[in-house]
Amino acid sequence: MSKKIIRQKIHDSFLRTALKNFAAQYPVARARAFEGDDFESLRDRVSAIRDNALRDLPDLVERFRESAEAAGATVHLCTSPEEARRAILGIVREKGAEFVVKSKSMTSEEIRLNPYLEKAGVRSLETDLGEWIIQLAGERPSHMVMPAIHKNRQEVADLFSREIGRDCPPDIPSLVETARETLRESFFTARVGISGTNVAVADSGAIGLVTNEGNARLVTTLPETHIALIGIEKLVPSLPAALDIISILPKNATGQKITSYVSLIRGPSEGHELHIVLLDNGRRQLAADPRFREAMKCVKCGACANVCPVYEIVGGHVFGHIYVGGIGLVLTPFFHGTENARDILGLCIGCRRCNEVCAAKIDIEGLILDLRERGAKIPGQKALFGTLMRNRTLFHGALRAAYLAQKPFQGRDGRIRHLPLVLGGDTGNRSLPPIAERPYRDIARDREKVAPEDQGGRERVLFFSGCLADFVFPEMCRDTVESLECLGYSVHFPREQLCCGIPARYSGEVGIARDMARLNTEILMKDQADFVVTICPTCTMSLKHDFPNLLEGEPEHHARSLELAAKVFNFAELAARKVVKSGIPGDGEPVTYHDACHLRRGCGVFREPRTVLEEIADRKVVEMEGPDTCCGFGGSYAFKFPEISYEILKKKMDAIAGTGVGTVAVDCPGCKMQIEGGLEGIKSRVRVEHTATLAAERLRE
């Protein structure tokens, strides 16, 4: 993705304000819409409905065709976008129509229907307000549900003025009235109306639409011919299944209990025709793919974009192709080719917010990571991950060389404020911590020489530090070990441990990540320990979830990885097990807490760090606004996309400043590096420490 385009979007003040305001309002509205509902139960049902429908897709297509035709509709089964476009144009020409009215349809955007019709001499008029604005501007939607969210009222007024030939004031009620007056006559004169569909019911042949403006009802009833364009993934077996999707869609999309209009259409009305164009465009093939089939479960609510920190910064014209947001990144290579997906797949920061809100429980982040493996590899990347990271001696030697090479770029306090040559601007407004003179593994070796034997009765813990903590924050590792020992554990550091493999997986080198999973499983399972503790949530996710998935095809290693996964805990989880709650909140120096993305949403750990801070560190926890919003680190993301990363970080720093406290607790070395570097860059005195460090400070007293 061009850095120039990214910078343009970052400096688009209206876009930033509009997306920021929506991002703030959406969670509140969504929570209100789901009041009294069990969201998890509802999305479990939607996920199961979609799973079953995809499994039975060929049968559902045939059942729907039979039911729809029995109700009087004509069904066209189309394999490709070209076939669907030709079918629609053939119907329009058969009716002698020179123009058609359309209601909102992302599937029509997918097949580029409007340009095709225009080229064939048929004028296509969008009647959804947002889509009409986009059509007048000659753009594509920047959101699946709110296509013109990036346009301000002055831009809309200018578009309307140009279209109707008179000045339109930039007043929203006036603009809506202008649209109504301009579009209304078209409903009565058009002979063909084209719509999309939100859900299609196989056992009755009915189609369902949910809208807010009423234009879809006019499009589907006033013209004598109605064409419904439907992706075959919209098929469900029965009306109850359809109603579950209709229930969750508006709540998750815009925070509405229900849309203004819910329409169920079965067959044509008297004197009219209904043509249903069922589109495949690779959907059957995708539904048969054991890994990527779940992408087809999407109900097109757009919630993945609503909560995405990257989308909030750059919008859908950068974070997507035709379909935007996290699911758009997944669908693009299948519907529009890998050439249109290559750049945008790298824009995902991996915060997992999309997974958390997805109406169909799609593992969007996991699918994006797996798609990166299919993409083009960076020259030299495989050698870096494969050779360097598998060989401890070589890896440590390279880091030692980096320790010496960093000295010319360090300030008086030792922190790095600029990088050499082409990396010169990549620290942005942040400073970076230096590579430590001695990694923790060397400190651990010296420590073990004088450590006493295991004390009887103590639970044995293996400490998996992760690379960043080991080589950049060795004191964090020391604090972890000391804290756990003070709490009654016997802690040991396996010096053979390797990188968890996440950098390789995030870069698409899944084969190398699999090798790292196998090697680390063997290393950690040699010792019959009670627990394996980590201080990096990404490592926790890797050991607990990724290792078993990566090794699924190797029965013996898979079984061992499952045994290992059962023993893996984050530091705060393990420390909290030793807490006997006093019921009295900590009254020491106040601290605010930042939830790391992979800890909160990946591992489901939320309460334990706060328990450790209050009961062990004796701190009063002051919650910041949005404690679980991403800090913008994302591993190498902070260096690949420094401008986006820093804009996300600024939101986090504002939230920290709003608490007025002097310390931020984190449970991730990467979050510490990102937030600490940003705060140092703005000369803030706020301290950033791992929960283990704050616990150790109190336990040493």
Side-chain angles (χ1 to χ4, degrees), residues 501-519:
I502 278 288
R505 183 164 184 240
Y506 269 55
S507 298
E509 298 290 352
V510 177
I512 294 168
R514 185 174 293 110
D515 290 344
M516 307 302 280
R518 189 185 308 108
L519 291 168

Side-chain angles (χ1 to χ4, degrees), residues 346 348-351 365 372 385 426 430 432 468 502-504 506-507 536 538 597-598 630-642 645 668-674:
C348 172
I349 199 169
C351 72
E365 189 225 13
R372 287 177 183 170
F385 289 124
D426 279 3
R430 293 153 289 182
L432 299 173
L468 185 58
I502 278 288
Y506 269 55
S507 298
C536 170
T538 307
C597 296
H598 283 91
C630 184
C631 69
F633 178 59
S636 61
Y637 193 96
F639 302 97
K640 291 178 181 175
F641 301 102
S645 171
C668 172
C671 294
K672 173 178 166 65
M673 183 168 80
Q674 172 82 341

